Amino acid sequence: MKRRRRTEILIQGDGRLAKEMATSVTNKYECREVTPPEQGMIMVKMRESAKNSLFYMGEVLITEAKVEISGEIGTGLIVGMDELRAEYLAIIDAAFKAQLPEMQEWELRLLEEERQINKAKAQQQAELFKTKVNFETMEV
């Protein structure tokens, strides 16, 4: 599983999964904090559709952390002020880079979490479609 997909699942999903995964790593392996969770601002890049050019829409507050496990540095970055989740993401990223044995089990859990996220999104979309007005059949 690619890093981007894994991170999206961990951010969008239930925070308990990230906590469980990070805790299982810190209980078994030495985990060194390279950079403690800290807030910062980053520029948000957007693509303008008419000219297909990039521009910076504005800034967003983020929390970033870096952790080292078995010589591999993992980075956790999340929008907003969530120091714990940023640290969990960094630990999980470092664990995947270090190719720890737990990765096999995690991939299955991540795929299940992704199914739950997609199911919740589909349900939310279905609820929104119930409120959609069809103007073609409206009598005026």
Side-chain angles (χ1 to χ4, degrees):
M1 178 179 296
K2 295 198 178 204
R3 181 182 189 191
R4 179 183 175 114
R5 181 177 175 197
R6 178 180 71 234
T7 304
E8 285 177 357
I9 293 168
L10 290 169
I11 289 172
Q12 293 175 6
D14 188 10
R16 289 180 291 178
L17 179 60
K19 181 179 180 179
E20 289 172 15
M21 290 168 71
T23 304
S24 71
V25 170
T26 55
N27 288 340
K28 292 181 183 177
Y29 303 95
E30 184 182 340
C31 183
R32 186 177 71 84
E33 191 173 67
V34 176
T35 305
E38 57 186 20
Q39 280 78 39
M41 302 290 280
I42 60 170
M43 298 294 289
V44 178
K45 200 184 288 188
M46 296 292 289
R47 184 167 299 281
E48 189 267 327
S49 59
K51 293 182 180 178
N52 201 25
S53 61
L54 291 173
F55 71 98
Y56 291 101
M57 189 171 95
E59 292 180 314
V60 66
L61 176 70
I62 55 109
T63 304
E64 181 181 18
K66 289 187 181 179
V67 171
E68 182 183 357
I69 299 172
S70 300
E72 297 291 337
I73 295 179
T75 304
L77 189 124
I78 189 162
V79 173
M81 293 174 48
D82 194 346
E83 292 180 355
L84 278 176
R85 191 170 280 193
E87 192 168 359
Y88 295 155
L89 291 172
I91 292 168
I92 294 165
D93 185 43
F96 269 90
K97 285 181 178 178
Q99 297 184 350
L100 300 180
E102 288 84 358
M103 289 186 342
Q104 308 293 336
E105 176 192 335
W106 289 357
E107 293 224 7
L108 297 173
R109 293 181 71 187
L110 286 167
L111 290 172
E112 178 58 35
E113 185 72 17
E114 185 178 44
R115 279 191 283 277
Q116 294 296 324
I117 292 167
N118 290 337
K119 183 179 174 183
K121 283 182 181 179
Q123 185 177 11
Q124 184 181 24
Q125 190 70 28
E127 289 175 13
L128 285 173
F129 278 133
K130 288 179 187 177
T131 63
K132 185 177 177 181
V133 176
N134 187 351
F135 289 101
E136 292 176 6
T137 60
M138 259 179 90
E139 291 183 29
V140 180

